[in-house]
Amino acid sequence: MNRIHTGLSFIIYCLLFSSAAALLTACEPKIPQNYWEKDELPNIYPDYANVTVPVNIAPLTFQMDDKVDKMVARLTAGDEEVVYGGNKVQPDKSEWSDLVQSALKLQPSAITVEVFIENNDQWTRYKPFSIFVSPDSIDPYISYRLISPSYVVYEDLTINQRCLENYDESVIYDNMLCSEDTKGQCINCHNYQQYNPDRMQFHARENLGGTIIAYDGTIKKVNMRNDSTLSAGVYPTWHPWLPYIVYSTNLTAQSFHTVDPNKIEVFDSQSDLIAYDVEKNEVTNIVNDPDELECFPFWAPDGKTLYYCSAHFEYKDTIDKGQELMMHYEDVKYKLYKKSFDPETKRFGPREALTIDHSPMVNDMSATLPRVSPDGRFLMFTLAPYGIFHIWHHEADLWMLDLQTGEVRNMEEINSPDTESYHSWSSNGKWVVFSSRRYDGNYTRPFIAHIDSNGKGSKPFELPSADPDYHRKFLKSYNVPEFMRGPVTIKPQQFADAIKKDGESVRYN
């Protein structure tokens, strides 16, 4: 009896297994045998055609951006081949890793992508494209602030971190943990010392305001407000190795345009530079010229030069300074400067204008956000017709200055017709991440590009997501993308507990 029962069970199991296998085989996508050839690249989103990606990037997913009845895509690299059917191409990590490793053995190192679509019972094969694989790795994490592109809901924002090797994302700090019904604050300007997630800082503004500094396991809140400075520290830059942060101090305001496509103008009526010693809890003024608007400091990798931008503006003292500057906002144009620095004495030298192969284009424009490559060779900056807050300027582009030759050029290979703004170098200097509004003009999203030894960029690619349509459905802007060597391990509630405390008063030197 038991034998008969066991035998029947085995037969039933085999029949069920065979049926399931047949069903799986029938559902497997197949490359069509008959199709028309189309000498055009497929219209896919995100646009990953002929981009260059790092060897350790998460799988790139995409979908057709046109309405089609069916789609089949084949990804090949050497002997590796994967075929996908359905509306979206979503390689898993194992499949993607096999393709990447095979691509590295080829010349050029590339994954070939073929897209077939069916409409009205007719298949079409588009022109194949490549996803080039660079052996240059990228830092495993980036962080950014997520905020709605609005002017009244700024409290509902977070600082998040994302692993670039997969799709894992987590919250570093949620601003709503400290917001109240009638009192709230804004958080911004997260920054790290040499990509180290254990040494970071960010600001809380308005209610419970102060600067939060995490330093090797300790968290403290600092109050830098004082009569001798314009404000608390705003835009930060950590010294490469000293426990020393330079900030700009800014009196910032905003105004709304009625007909200008840029919608909003964010500007500084006054701004200076200060330095904060983390260990001594001491602040020193670096420069506070009333006729200069200094902003966006950034250390050279050798720790001996401080770069920043500054605009010359002389007030007539006839009306409110903010109103006067706003009346002349198109005349406010920032230039790039530097100061030498002695790490032993912590003394700064006089201001020097950067040596640039001046073109009329650069001279007549406003240059902001200087960021130096880790090898000290290149300085990337943002250029727009005027002003300081280029993330709101649709004309803003990224430019590159060769610090050895003084040659400057528009990075046309990575710019778009819309906004390119805040940018950050990877720790090996092979990649940059920047904010762009290239897809819809409203939302800033992170794009990544490879930078070669001559400072030339590759075609940028959008931050990969498990669902290729994720960013278009996610109604938040990504601001201030920064590379990190690993994740921040401090919990959001720990930061909230620190923000709720009174800030330590600093000493002024």
Side-chain angles (χ1 to χ4, degrees):
M1 188 72 176
N2 287 338
R3 289 181 181 177
I4 294 173
H5 179 76
T6 303
L8 288 173
S9 299
F10 179 73
I11 292 170
I12 293 171
Y13 168 79
C14 290
L15 289 172
L16 289 173
F17 180 81
S18 299
S19 298
L23 182 62
L24 286 173
T25 302
C27 293
E28 287 181 359
K30 294 184 178 180
I31 300 299
Q33 298 300 308
N34 300 303
Y35 49 80
W36 292 100
E37 294 273 3
K38 195 167 188 176
D39 192 26
E40 296 178 7
L41 292 174
N43 182 24
I44 61 171
Y45 175 82
D47 179 11
Y48 288 143
N50 301 319
V51 299
T52 298
V53 301
V55 63
N56 59 328
I57 197 68
L60 269 56
T61 65
F62 64 87
Q63 64 189 48
M64 283 296 295
D65 214 20
D66 299 322
K67 185 176 178 57
V68 298
D69 295 339
K70 294 180 183 178
M71 181 184 75
V72 173
R74 176 165 57 193
L75 278 63
T76 58
D79 295 333
E80 293 293 330
E81 176 182 300
V82 189
V83 179
Y84 302 93
N87 297 322
K88 300 177 180 181
V89 175
Q90 297 169 290
D92 64 32
K93 190 171 179 62
S94 176
E95 294 169 338
W96 180 256
S97 178
D98 290 343
L99 287 166
V100 165
Q101 294 305 317
S102 293
L104 289 174
K105 301 173 184 177
L106 305 176
Q107 287 296 331
S109 300
I111 300 168
T112 300
V113 181
E114 300 168 87
V115 174
F116 303 79
I117 62 100
E118 184 188 45
N119 278 323
N120 301 319
D121 297 323
Q122 174 61 58
W123 283 95
T124 300
R125 177 182 182 266
Y126 283 93
K127 182 180 179 180
F129 64 86
S130 296
I131 297 175
F132 298 100
V133 179
S134 169
D136 297 326
S137 62
I138 198 167
D139 295 291
Y141 276 81
I142 60 170
S143 58
Y144 36 76
R145 186 174 67 156
L146 293 176
I147 185 171
S148 300
S150 174
Y151 318 107
V152 293
V153 293
Y154 67 89
E155 289 179 66
D156 181 18
L157 54 87
T158 60
I159 299 175
N160 283 29
Q161 57 190 358
R162 160 71 194 274
C163 180
L164 293 177
E165 298 177 340
N166 53 45
Y167 310 119
D168 292 347
E169 184 179 43
S170 61
V171 174
I172 295 176
Y173 179 67
D174 186 340
N175 194 45
M176 298 303 287
L177 288 174
C178 288
S179 288
E180 304 172 9
D181 289 341
T182 58
K183 295 180 179 179
Q185 67 280 317
C186 171
I187 52 168
N188 57 10
C189 300
H190 55 283
N191 189 256
Y192 309 89
Q193 184 179 43
Q194 285 296 91
Y195 311 91
N196 184 351
D198 295 326
R199 296 183 178 183
M200 74 167 296
Q201 72 95 71
F202 66 90
H203 305 304
R205 301 288 178 208
E206 299 183 37
N207 183 44
L208 302 176
T211 300
I212 302 300
I213 297 178
Y215 196 81
D216 293 347
T218 64
I219 309 173
K220 69 177 180 178
K221 178 182 177 181
V222 176
N223 179 14
M224 295 187 192
R225 293 185 179 275
N226 187 274
D227 292 341
S228 64
T229 62
L230 295 174
S231 69
V234 182
Y235 303 116
T237 178
W238 284 80
H239 189 273
W241 68 85
L242 293 175
Y244 199 69
I245 309 173
V246 169
Y247 295 93
S248 63
T249 59
N250 308 64
L251 296 183
T252 302
Q254 62 183 20
S255 179
F256 296 88
H257 296 290
T258 55
V259 295
D260 195 300
N262 284 327
K263 298 180 184 178
I264 182 174
E265 196 60 44
V266 180
F267 60 93
D268 293 330
S269 60
Q270 297 180 70
S271 54
D272 296 326
L273 298 181
I274 63 172
Y276 173 65
D277 190 311
V278 176
E279 292 183 343
K280 293 182 179 180
N281 197 35
E282 184 177 86
V283 166
T284 304
N285 280 312
I286 299 175
V287 58
N288 53 3
D289 187 333
D291 295 331
E292 290 290 330
L293 303 171
E294 301 92 354
C295 197
F296 293 134
F298 191 84
W299 287 105
D302 65 2
K304 297 179 179 179
T305 305
L306 180 73
Y307 292 90
Y308 62 100
C309 60
S310 182
H312 186 79
F313 189 84
E314 297 183 23
Y315 288 100
K316 307 302 181 185
D317 294 326
T318 56
I319 59 174
D320 175 81
K321 287 187 176 181
Q323 292 180 347
E324 183 176 348
L325 189 141
M326 195 57 215
M327 291 173 59
H328 301 279
Y329 70 94
E330 290 184 327
D331 299 325
V332 180
K333 299 177 188 285
Y334 285 76
K335 305 302 177 186
L336 301 177
Y337 296 94
K338 64 180 179 180
K339 280 178 171 288
S340 62
F341 177 74
D342 186 339
E344 296 294 329
T345 63
K346 296 182 181 176
R347 293 186 180 277
F348 290 90
R351 183 179 83 164
E352 301 176 58
L354 262 63
T355 303
I356 297 176
D357 178 12
H358 288 286
S359 68
M361 179 80 171
V362 175
N363 286 337
D364 295 337
M365 302 279 272
S366 184
T368 70
L369 285 167
R371 296 289 182 266
V372 184
S373 60
D375 64 0
R377 169 74 184 276
F378 298 105
L379 184 149
M380 189 180 291
F381 62 98
T382 306
L383 198 69
Y386 58 85
I388 185 66
F389 218 66
H390 290 345
I391 198 169
W392 286 112
H393 292 170
H394 292 288
E395 311 91 342
D397 280 332
L398 294 174
W399 282 59
M400 187 78 88
L401 168 64
D402 187 326
L403 292 172
Q404 291 183 3
T405 66
E407 180 185 357
V408 65
R409 68 177 186 86
N410 185 330
M411 298 197 72
E412 297 175 332
E413 68 275 18
I414 68 175
N415 288 322
S416 74
D418 217 301
T419 306
E420 269 70 51
S421 184
Y422 196 100
H423 44 284
S424 172
W425 290 89
S426 66
S427 61
N428 61 8
K430 302 297 184 181
W431 305 91
V432 293
V433 60
F434 59 93
S435 297
S436 177
R437 298 185 193 270
R438 64 185 58 202
Y439 277 140
D440 56 29
N442 293 313
Y443 292 89
T444 53
R445 300 183 176 100
F447 284 77
I448 299 171
H450 186 260
I451 305 296
D452 67 18
S453 59
N454 296 314
K456 183 81 171 179
S458 65
K459 178 181 175 179
F461 64 93
E462 188 180 39
L463 177 68
S465 298
D467 181 352
D469 209 27
Y470 174 76
H471 288 127
R472 293 197 294 198
K473 295 177 179 178
F474 184 57
L475 304 181
K476 292 287 184 75
S477 280
Y478 293 71
N479 286 1
V480 194
E482 290 274 1
F483 284 110
M484 308 147 67
R485 296 185 187 274
V488 174
T489 57
I490 297 172
K491 303 301 182 185
Q493 191 58 55
Q494 292 176 269
F495 281 127
D497 292 342
I499 289 175
K500 292 175 183 177
K501 297 177 181 178
D502 292 333
E504 296 181 26
S505 296
V506 302
R507 293 188 299 273
Y508 287 84
N509 183 6

